[in-house]
């Protein structure tokens, strides 16, 4: 019984140190996250009548095509290898899972005033929506998420760019 | 407080019980070093990538977006690091063993649950293949379950061992 009690006390000490070091490391990390400012709380609207309004709005292929043609900033939330294989023309790579690298590289290219469209690989991926929520929390408030993603775009025979931008 | 290296006698001398061999001091040391190597490697793959690790945890369908998920993503790799350091140095070995026992029991449950989901969708169990987010890349579920069961048994042996050798014990000075 004494052995178990000691083990529990030791385990509590290890967890306490891990929590302290984990949070300290996170606060200085390039890829830090704020656990209490959850991007999940950012509302997402699917209402196309609210074009130009603040918030995150889901767009379909037809609107995504118009957005690309109008020169709005387009962000590809996939990984670099997928981006290099093919992406929507003019899209900027912003790997959602490497925020530290791409935040400094991409944010200066974006405008807080204009709309930004984000997409990922296909309708089942969440990364475009998650990245849009992160961008919203960073102050970019007019965000569009092209839910069909690159699969729907290329499947419709629309132009595709290859290699690095 | 005084730190001393303990090299106490081992109870396996009597060896009356068939399972006592598992408490062989050299075997216990091997368990410690093996677990430490595995969990340090796993932790290094996840530290500094909390967003990706949070997504991997969420993939198990147990925790949704929110502070608990993100706190787990930030803290779990560091728990693995400190447990590993503890096992290598011999400080707080039982505490680490208790944590690893709990973590491996949890991993077994969530991996089995996820594998069961694939099986319900029609994939034969032996062909269920996915990335558990553990830091070792995609693998077969049966293989991962066997590995985690082995880690669980090693942790249990470390926790239940009547005495450990090659450890640092911290004692209060009597004076």
């Amino acid at each position: 019984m004494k052995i178990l009690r000691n083990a529990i006390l030791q385990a509590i000490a290890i967890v306490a140190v891990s929590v302290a070091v984990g949070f300290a490391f996170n606060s200085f990390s390039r890829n830090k996250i704020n656990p209490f400012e959850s991007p999940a709380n950012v509302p997402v609207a699917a209402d196309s009548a609210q074009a130009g309004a603040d918030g995150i709005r889901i767009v379909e292929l037809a609107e995504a095509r118009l957005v690309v043609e109008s020169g709005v900033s387009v962000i590809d939330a996939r990984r670099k290898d997928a981006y290099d294989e093919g992406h929507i023309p003019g899209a900027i790579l912003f790997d959602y899972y490497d925020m530290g690298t791409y935040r400094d590289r991409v944010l200066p290219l974006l405008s807080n005033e204009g709309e930004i469209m984000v997409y990922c690989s296909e309708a089942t991926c969440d990364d475009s929506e998650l990245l849009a929520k992160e961008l919203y929390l960073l102050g970019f408030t007019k965000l569009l998420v092209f839910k069909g993603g690159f699969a729907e775009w290329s499947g419709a025979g629309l132009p595709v760019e290859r290699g690095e931008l | 407080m005084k730190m001393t290296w303990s090299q106490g006698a081992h109870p396996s001398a009597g060896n009356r019980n068939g399972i006592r061999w598992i408490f062989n001091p050299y075997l216990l040391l091997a368990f410690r070093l093996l677990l430490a190597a595995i969990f340090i490697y796993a932790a290094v793959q996840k530290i500094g990538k909390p967003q990706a690790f949070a997504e991997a945890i969420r993939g198990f369908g147990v925790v949704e977006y929110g502070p608990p998920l993100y706190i787990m993503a930030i803290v779990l790799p560091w728990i693995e690091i400190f447990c590993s350091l503890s096992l290598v140095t011999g400080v707080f070995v039982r505490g680490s063993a208790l944590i690893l026992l709990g973590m491996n029991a949890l991993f077994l449950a969530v991996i089995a649950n996820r594998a069961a989901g694939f099986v319900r969708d029609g994939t034969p169990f032996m062909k269920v293949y996915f990335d558990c987010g553990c830091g070792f890349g995609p693998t077969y579920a049966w293989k991962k379950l066997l590995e985690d069961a082995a880690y669980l048994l090693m942790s249990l042996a470390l926790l239940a061992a009547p005495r450990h050798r090659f450890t640092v014990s911290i004692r209060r000075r009597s004076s």
Side-chain angles (χ1 to χ4, degrees):
Chain A
M1 208 59 205
K2 191 185 168 194
I3 283 179
L4 188 62
R5 198 195 66 183
N6 284 345
I8 291 170
L9 291 175
Q10 290 174 5
I12 290 170
I14 292 169
V15 170
V17 172
S18 304
V19 169
V21 175
F23 273 86
F25 182 87
N26 179 61
S27 64
F28 291 105
S29 168
R30 286 191 319 157
N31 290 327
K32 70 177 171 190
I33 56 173
N34 181 348
F36 303 105
E37 192 182 53
S38 172
N41 298 331
V42 178
V44 178
D47 183 3
S48 59
Q50 293 179 348
D54 277 4
I56 299 174
R57 194 162 57 81
I58 305 291
V59 296
E60 302 298 332
L61 178 64
E63 190 178 352
R65 191 176 175 178
L66 293 174
V67 165
V68 172
E69 286 169 1
S70 69
V72 161
S73 298
V74 178
I75 288 181
D76 187 323
R78 299 174 299 158
R79 296 186 191 278
K80 188 177 184 304
D81 51 353
Y83 175 87
D84 288 346
E85 278 178 26
H87 53 263
I88 293 178
I92 305 163
L93 173 63
F94 193 141
D95 181 350
Y96 172 65
Y97 296 106
D98 196 0
M99 293 284 282
T101 301
Y102 289 95
R103 191 162 24 206
D104 296 343
R105 198 180 292 177
V106 177
L107 294 192
L109 305 175
L110 304 176
S111 158
N112 292 56
E113 305 298 320
E115 288 185 322
I116 299 166
M117 187 176 87
V118 190
Y119 70 92
C120 53
S121 53
E122 56 191 355
T124 52
C125 76
D126 294 332
D127 298 345
S128 52
E129 207 172 294
L130 294 167
L131 180 57
K133 288 175 175 179
E134 293 285 349
L135 291 171
Y136 186 89
L137 294 173
L138 290 168
F140 299 93
T141 55
K142 294 182 173 61
L143 292 149
L144 308 172
V145 171
F146 172 34
K147 200 66 188 154
F150 186 71
E152 192 179 5
W153 181 273
S154 57
L158 293 170
V160 168
E161 253 177 19
R162 289 179 208 286
E164 294 184 38
L165 189 65
Chain B
M1 292 248 261
K2 179 170 90 165
M3 296 176 90
T4 55
W5 280 93
S6 158
Q7 297 209 8
H10 196 267
S12 62
N15 208 12
R16 284 183 291 268
N17 189 331
I19 205 166
R20 286 267 164 164
W21 61 268
I22 208 163
F23 297 138
N24 178 292
Y26 297 100
L27 189 59
L28 290 175
L29 181 64
F31 287 170
R32 279 166 50 191
L33 297 178
L34 183 65
L35 285 172
I38 287 161
F39 280 91
I40 279 201
Y41 179 82
V44 166
Q45 308 305 310
K46 295 177 282 203
I47 280 177
K49 299 172 191 163
Q51 198 77 56
F53 186 39
E55 288 301 323
I57 299 172
R58 185 176 163 262
F60 286 101
V62 180
V63 193
E64 264 309 318
Y65 292 118
L69 176 71
Y70 293 117
I71 290 170
M72 267 195 263
I74 291 168
V75 173
L76 265 181
W78 286 99
I79 292 181
E80 292 176 339
I81 288 275
F82 283 106
C83 283
S84 302
L85 290 177
S86 153
L87 293 178
V88 170
T89 58
V91 181
F92 290 178
V93 168
R94 286 188 206 281
S96 299
L98 180 63
I99 292 173
L100 293 180
L101 183 71
M103 279 170 57
N104 281 303
L106 188 70
F107 295 161
L108 273 172
V110 294
I111 290 169
N113 181 50
R114 192 168 179 195
F118 282 99
V119 171
R120 277 195 297 274
D121 292 341
T123 309
F125 175 70
M126 296 303 279
K127 293 200 171 169
V128 174
Y129 186 84
F130 61 83
D131 188 351
C132 64
C134 318
F136 294 92
T139 186
Y140 287 102
W142 64 266
K143 204 173 154 193
K144 194 69 210 158
L145 287 168
L146 277 181
E147 281 173 16
D148 282 350
Y151 304 155
L152 184 122
L153 289 177
M154 288 183 211
S155 308
L156 188 60
L158 290 175
L159 179 66
R163 189 163 296 190
H164 281 284
R165 286 174 73 177
F166 316 111
T167 59
V168 177
S169 57
I170 300 171
R171 293 182 190 145
R172 285 183 194 283
R173 282 184 187 279
S174 53
S175 57

